[in-house]
Amino acid sequence: MIIRLVSILIGYLFGLFQTAYIYGKYKGIDIRKVGSGNAGTTNALRAFGTGVGVLVFAGDCAKCLLAVLAVRAAAGAMVPDLRYLAGTYAAVGCILGHNFPFYMNFKGGKGIACTAGLIVTYPLPMVIIELALFFGPFFLTHYVSLGSLLINLGLIVGTVICGQNGFLPLKASQLPELYILIVLIAALAFYQHRENIKRLLTGTERKTYLSKKHKQ
């Protein structure tokens, strides 16, 4: 239990590096007071442009990836059997730190870029499928939220498929715990997108474009 709690805490500390918020402060703007008020990639893209949006995504993705890899390395030296699970707990912590940073009154982002940082540690075929699940719907509809929700569903399905077919370095007895963690990550993403889901259902969700000529 201790290794799990420590992994979450380490991940949370990584998650506190709020790329969009830090960039906004550098520019004299509080990202939480513009656009949707969300301290994440999409709002940064709308507020500062595509280049900054990519930068924010890369920063938030990288912090989760680094948290996962750091915890896996540390756990591998101390409790090798828990190495993979510990890394996933770190991802959970990082997403929590990103979504609910204490120094921002617990108002951060929605955790999708952080989740991407976890996804890139999976087998390459799953990473490619996840990319397709996001960019396919996005380029067809220009709804970031739709792609974000789909990659979380894909993460659940992909994790189960990889786990049941031995593509992940876990014991069979550890798989249920991993599945629970992934479902919790996806459930949190859906909760964070609850207003987006309402707008998607009513056709009022705002579209996001990468080129300036299409921006609203």
Side-chain angles (χ1 to χ4, degrees):
M1 180 59 71
I2 295 298
I3 189 66
R4 292 166 174 81
L5 293 176
V6 171
S7 297
I8 290 174
L9 177 59
I10 292 173
Y12 184 87
L13 294 175
F14 272 86
L16 294 178
F17 184 87
Q18 294 285 330
T19 315
Y21 178 75
I22 293 170
Y23 182 87
K25 282 297 185 180
Y26 170 72
K27 289 295 186 178
I29 299 172
D30 188 339
I31 190 68
R32 298 170 299 170
K33 296 180 180 179
V34 298
S36 66
N38 184 263
T41 299
T42 303
N43 200 34
L45 185 152
R46 291 170 177 166
F48 303 116
T50 302
V52 175
V54 172
L55 175 66
V56 169
F57 175 84
D60 290 341
C61 177
K63 69 187 181 187
C64 188
L65 174 60
L66 290 173
V68 171
L69 295 180
V71 168
R72 282 183 184 174
M78 296 181 292
V79 280
D81 287 348
L82 288 179
R83 181 183 69 86
Y84 195 90
L85 272 179
T88 307
Y89 274 98
V92 171
C94 189
I95 292 169
L96 291 174
H98 176 78
N99 291 0
F100 311 110
F102 71 89
Y103 67 95
M104 292 168 58
N105 295 319
F106 301 97
K107 184 180 180 182
K110 295 181 179 178
I112 302 305
C114 289
T115 302
L118 172 63
I119 290 172
V120 297
T121 68
Y122 274 75
L124 182 58
M126 180 170 165
V127 176
I128 293 172
I129 291 171
E130 288 285 73
L131 286 171
L133 283 175
F134 179 83
F135 285 107
F138 171 70
F139 284 126
L140 287 173
T141 67
H142 296 284
Y143 292 140
V144 172
S145 55
L146 178 59
S148 299
L149 295 170
L150 287 175
I151 65 170
N152 274 278
L153 290 176
L155 179 59
I156 295 175
V157 175
T159 299
V160 172
I161 292 175
C162 288
Q164 295 304 118
N165 287 278
F167 298 141
L168 301 177
L170 290 95
K171 296 179 179 178
S173 60
Q174 296 175 320
L175 289 174
E177 186 174 354
L178 175 67
Y179 299 157
I180 290 171
L181 291 176
I182 297 302
V183 168
L184 289 176
I185 289 173
L188 178 58
F190 271 74
Y191 175 77
Q192 293 290 87
H193 284 81
R194 59 194 182 280
E195 295 301 324
N196 303 86
I197 294 171
K198 292 178 183 178
R199 291 193 293 270
L200 284 170
L201 293 175
T202 58
T204 57
E205 175 71 325
R206 182 178 176 181
K207 295 186 178 183
T208 300
Y209 297 91
L210 301 181
S211 61
K212 291 183 178 180
K213 66 179 181 178
H214 287 118
K215 288 185 179 179
Q216 300 174 346

